Amino acid sequence: MPSVSDLKAAGSCHALLLPDLPSGPLCAYRKKASFNWKEMAVFIEDEDLIQFKSRVFTAFEHDPLFARLPGEELSLEKYRELTFLRCKRLFEYDFLRLEDILEKPLKIMVLITCLGMYDWSLGAKYLLNSQVAGGTSAMAGDLAALSSGYVHEITTVQTALEDCKRECLPYFRDDSGEVAALARCSKKEKKSWNSKFYFIVVFRSAIESSGSERHEEFLKQNGNMENFGCFALTELSHGSNTKNMRTVAKYDPSTQEFVIHSPDFEAAKFWIGNLGKNATHAVVYAQLHTSDGQCHGLHSFVVQVRDPKTLLPMPGVLVGDIGRKLGQNGLDNGYVSIHRLKVTAQTL
């Protein structure tokens, strides 16, 4: 049983970790609690996670880009512009590294929660373009669902993360027991990591988990924000019914190219996050047809939809914004219809 001095020391530590809440009308009710709320917070989240959460919120608090005025009303264009700039700043902060995730997988959930408490539009935009830490694949349950507010799935995700960490950690430790850099792992080991963490489908992680070495330069550009991506699966008529997606990619062996085509507007990719205004590239899912007439099912292609410098649509691409939604209007959901666009075999 801890001594009185131990309890006092713990209380002092918790006071430094969790400052007292501002005085106000709720103080009287808090004093009626039968437990110390700071001890409860440390018990639930532990000190590392609380410190990490404080780091994120402190960065937001001191960065003018994240400042918001009570009751301010932003135009749709201004809101989306700010969301994109804030998303770019998140990549600069680099809150989570691979080593951090391996040592404490729940930091992913804390970051998602922090972004959601600030603005779910920002959280969704950030996660749709890239995974939380550069170099890993999809890492944290259905983050897209979480970013829409389905936080009740966190418990399931936490269990999955712990299982993944336990199974994958040997790949990332060197002889001294320290976490090794991902670059030191073989392609086979990376693929094992990718498959274990394949819980979400977002732009960068979709390429990392299903791509190959030929996509590495493209991923490097994505990490530097030289391109900005989205995940284009859903179609206007088919929602998430992946088997019946109607976008087609026909292979031409004479040129070694694929011709990607939306047969009609109902086959347009629709409700795609990041596509409305900012995405320059999309992971487009299409039914792959070969010259012998056989359909080989759904395959993914990295397709450039806009010029990165002007953001104007590429030839053969009709792309636009679906407009204001009931919520998350900082996220630019869009549509794209592709007319006989030729892409190289390397985009597969």
Side-chain angles (χ1 to χ4, degrees):
M1 184 174 180
S3 65
V4 174
S5 60
D6 290 336
L7 292 173
K8 286 184 177 180
S12 176
C13 179
H14 295 163
L16 294 174
L17 187 65
L18 295 163
D20 291 333
L21 296 170
S23 59
L26 293 179
C27 286
Y29 296 95
R30 293 189 180 111
K31 290 178 180 179
K32 295 180 180 181
S34 60
F35 59 88
N36 184 308
W37 71 269
K38 296 183 181 181
E39 293 179 7
M40 176 68 77
V42 173
F43 174 76
I44 293 174
E45 294 192 290
D46 85 36
E47 293 186 9
D48 285 346
L49 297 180
I50 293 173
Q51 289 173 345
F52 178 65
K53 184 184 293 185
S54 175
R55 177 188 164 203
V56 174
F57 283 136
T58 299
F60 287 0
E61 184 178 1
H62 291 89
D63 190 333
L65 185 58
F66 290 88
R68 292 192 295 197
L69 298 175
E72 68 176 341
E73 289 288 340
L74 298 174
S75 67
L76 186 61
E77 291 298 320
K78 185 62 177 178
Y79 185 15
R80 289 180 173 177
E81 177 188 355
L82 280 174
T83 303
F84 176 76
L85 293 174
R86 288 163 178 165
C87 179
K88 185 177 179 181
R89 186 61 57 84
L90 289 177
F91 282 91
E92 295 171 359
Y93 279 128
D94 194 21
F95 285 120
L96 277 179
R97 298 170 301 168
L98 175 61
E99 306 93 283
D100 301 323
I101 297 166
L102 289 170
E103 292 298 327
K104 188 79 69 171
L106 290 181
K107 282 189 176 181
I108 300 171
M109 307 311 303
V110 172
L111 181 59
I112 296 167
T113 303
C114 290
L115 295 179
M117 291 175 70
Y118 178 80
D119 185 353
W120 280 118
S121 291
L122 175 62
K125 192 170 190 68
Y126 176 70
L127 293 168
L128 283 168
N129 176 65
S130 181
Q131 75 283 24
V132 180
T136 69
S137 182
M139 301 172 299
D142 190 352
L143 300 189
L146 287 171
S147 69
S148 300
Y150 300 116
V151 186
H152 61 276
E153 295 188 15
I154 284 181
T155 303
T156 303
V157 172
Q158 288 178 180
T159 303
L161 282 169
E162 291 297 341
D163 290 342
C164 290
K165 179 185 176 185
R166 186 164 50 250
E167 294 182 39
C168 297
L169 197 57
Y171 288 126
F172 296 91
R173 289 202 178 277
D174 56 22
D175 295 337
S176 64
E178 297 297 321
V179 176
L182 183 64
R184 293 166 57 185
C185 299
S186 70
K187 188 67 177 179
K188 180 179 179 181
E189 288 166 343
K190 288 182 184 178
K191 284 186 177 295
S192 176
W193 170 262
N194 288 343
S195 62
K196 293 297 182 183
F197 273 93
Y198 195 74
F199 293 106
I200 62 169
V201 282
V202 288
F203 178 69
R204 182 184 175 107
S205 55
I207 298 174
E208 286 183 322
S209 58
S210 59
S212 62
E213 288 85 353
R214 67 176 181 264
H215 297 108
E216 289 179 357
E217 181 61 27
F218 181 84
L219 291 172
K220 181 180 178 181
Q221 293 172 356
N222 181 258
N224 294 331
M225 293 290 288
E226 295 176 38
N227 61 54
F228 198 70
C230 62
F231 184 86
L233 172 65
T234 301
E235 294 179 359
L236 186 60
S237 290
H238 297 92
S240 56
N241 181 8
T242 56
K243 184 177 179 180
N244 288 321
M245 294 295 168
R246 293 174 55 229
T247 300
V248 174
K250 292 185 177 180
Y251 182 64
D252 183 351
S254 64
T255 61
Q256 294 189 333
E257 292 177 321
F258 289 95
V259 180
I260 299 181
H261 182 62
S262 307
D264 51 55
F265 188 69
E266 290 187 355
K269 300 299 181 182
F270 195 83
W271 206 268
I272 310 302
N274 286 350
L275 182 60
K277 297 290 183 182
N278 304 132
T280 61
H281 293 72
V283 173
V284 175
Y285 277 76
Q287 303 288 354
L288 193 158
H289 291 257
T290 48
S291 56
D292 58 5
Q294 290 189 2
C295 177
H296 297 268
L298 214 58
H299 285 67
S300 56
F301 300 82
V302 181
V303 178
Q304 184 173 348
V305 294
R306 287 188 178 93
D307 184 313
K309 294 182 179 178
T310 65
L311 292 184
L312 293 175
M314 300 300 291
V317 175
L318 174 65
V319 61
D321 190 279
I322 67 172
R324 186 176 289 274
K325 311 180 293 288
L326 288 177
Q328 292 195 35
N329 280 299
L331 177 63
D332 51 313
N333 292 83
Y335 64 88
V336 63
S337 181
I338 302 172
H339 182 72
R340 305 192 188 284
L341 178 66
K342 293 183 178 181
V343 298
T344 65
Q346 284 68 36
T347 61
L348 175 64

